[in-house]
Amino acid sequence: KTYSLIYSQYCTRAMQSRIESHPEFETKIRHNPIELLEAIKTLMHDTVRSQYPYVSMTDALVRLVTVKQHDHESLMDYVKRFKQLRDVAVSHLGTEFLDKFVSQQSFYLEAKPSDRSKIEDEAYEQFMAYLLIRGADPNKYGSMQKNLASQFSLGNDQYPKTIVLATDALSQHRIDPKFYE
């Protein structure tokens, strides 16, 4: 019990030190609780204090793109963990990094110029919804993942467009029999 208390105090002091040494601590974080929480969330996932900026950004993106639901992890715990990784990636990349990709897609090029801004705005949320489904346990949701891909190839896009809709679709899906084997 004493060891865990000492370790907890050490971790608290280490995090406090990392926050206070943040380049924007005095200007942005010190008197702003929202910015403080964002800094804590980001620093929790950055293992090295002074590191090449592309390392932090790449690590955050890789963690987000490769996140997988653990074997005995509930859907809600997985969604919560996914959202934390998403928030860290957003702190590094923003949400506009897909704009160039989207602007080259046929559905964008065929859209009315007045609709293109909306397509760009929705792209990030759609990508996050896809990543959430992609990382869901294939033993539980594999048939749903395959069905979505199959339906899309037939011209019927049923992919959920938001994280909320993706979460709902996963929670309403009857768990595949493979999970029980």
Side-chain angles (χ1 to χ4, degrees), residues 72-105:
H72 299 290
E73 184 176 32
S74 73
L75 178 61
M76 291 301 115
D77 287 342
Y78 165 62
V79 171
K80 181 180 176 182
R81 189 165 54 88
F82 177 87
K83 287 179 178 180
Q84 290 171 344
L85 293 172
R86 174 205 60 190
D87 293 347
V88 172
V90 166
S91 74
H92 289 285
L93 295 164
T95 60
E96 298 84 21
F97 70 93
L98 292 170
D99 289 355
K100 179 72 174 168
F101 169 77
V102 170
S103 71
Q104 298 174 358
Q105 302 304 308

Side-chain angles (χ1 to χ4, degrees), residues 7-17:
Y7 181 73
S8 175
Q9 290 172 344
Y10 168 78
C11 291
T12 301
R13 275 190 247 118
M15 180 58 77
Q16 182 177 357
S17 174

Side-chain angles (χ1 to χ4, degrees), residues 41-59:
K41 190 183 319 180
T42 300
L43 291 172
M44 282 175 52
H45 294 280
D46 283 342
T47 55
V48 180
R49 191 192 313 155
S50 298
Q51 130 181 121
Y52 189 53
Y54 293 106
V55 172
S56 298
M57 183 267 306
T58 301
D59 289 348

Side-chain angles (χ1 to χ4, degrees), residues 3-180:
Y3 173 76
S4 63
L5 178 62
I6 292 170
Y7 181 73
S8 175
Q9 290 172 344
Y10 168 78
C11 291
T12 301
R13 275 190 247 118
M15 180 58 77
Q16 182 177 357
S17 174
R18 290 180 72 192
I19 291 168
E20 289 173 352
S21 66
H22 192 283
E24 296 178 333
F25 177 73
E26 290 297 332
T27 59
K28 220 174 159 184
I29 297 171
R30 180 185 279 280
H31 300 292
N32 186 334
I34 303 300
E35 288 295 329
L36 175 61
L37 290 172
E38 290 296 322
I40 290 170
K41 190 183 319 180
T42 300
L43 291 172
M44 282 175 52
H45 294 280
D46 283 342
T47 55
V48 180
R49 191 192 313 155
S50 298
Q51 130 181 121
Y52 189 53
Y54 293 106
V55 172
S56 298
M57 183 267 306
T58 301
D59 289 348
L61 184 59
V62 166
R63 280 192 295 267
L64 176 65
V65 173
T66 61
V67 64
K68 299 288 182 203
Q69 183 179 11
H70 301 305
D71 288 342
H72 299 290
E73 184 176 32
S74 73
L75 178 61
M76 291 301 115
D77 287 342
Y78 165 62
V79 171
K80 181 180 176 182
R81 189 165 54 88
F82 177 87
K83 287 179 178 180
Q84 290 171 344
L85 293 172
R86 174 205 60 190
D87 293 347
V88 172
V90 166
S91 74
H92 289 285
L93 295 164
T95 60
E96 298 84 21
F97 70 93
L98 292 170
D99 289 355
K100 179 72 174 168
F101 169 77
V102 170
S103 71
Q104 298 174 358
Q105 302 304 308
S106 61
F107 62 83
Y108 179 89
L109 298 171
E110 294 166 2
K112 297 177 195 171
S114 59
D115 293 337
R116 290 180 177 174
S117 177
K118 182 180 178 191
I119 293 170
E120 288 174 349
D121 292 343
E122 294 171 347
Y124 180 78
E125 186 66 27
Q126 289 179 18
F127 183 51
M128 293 301 110
Y130 166 73
L131 288 178
L132 180 72
I133 290 171
R134 179 180 180 265
D137 186 344
N139 291 324
K140 294 178 182 177
Y141 307 105
S143 65
M144 179 183 162
Q145 295 161 336
K146 288 176 186 169
N147 187 43
L148 288 170
S150 176
Q151 288 297 315
F152 186 84
S153 70
L154 296 171
N156 185 12
D157 183 1
Q158 294 183 355
Y159 279 99
K161 305 300 183 213
T162 67
I163 289 178
V164 171
L165 292 175
T167 303
D168 289 347
L170 289 166
S171 68
Q172 296 300 315
H173 176 73
R174 176 177 274 163
I175 293 177
D176 294 348
K178 184 177 182 179
F179 174 71
Y180 299 108

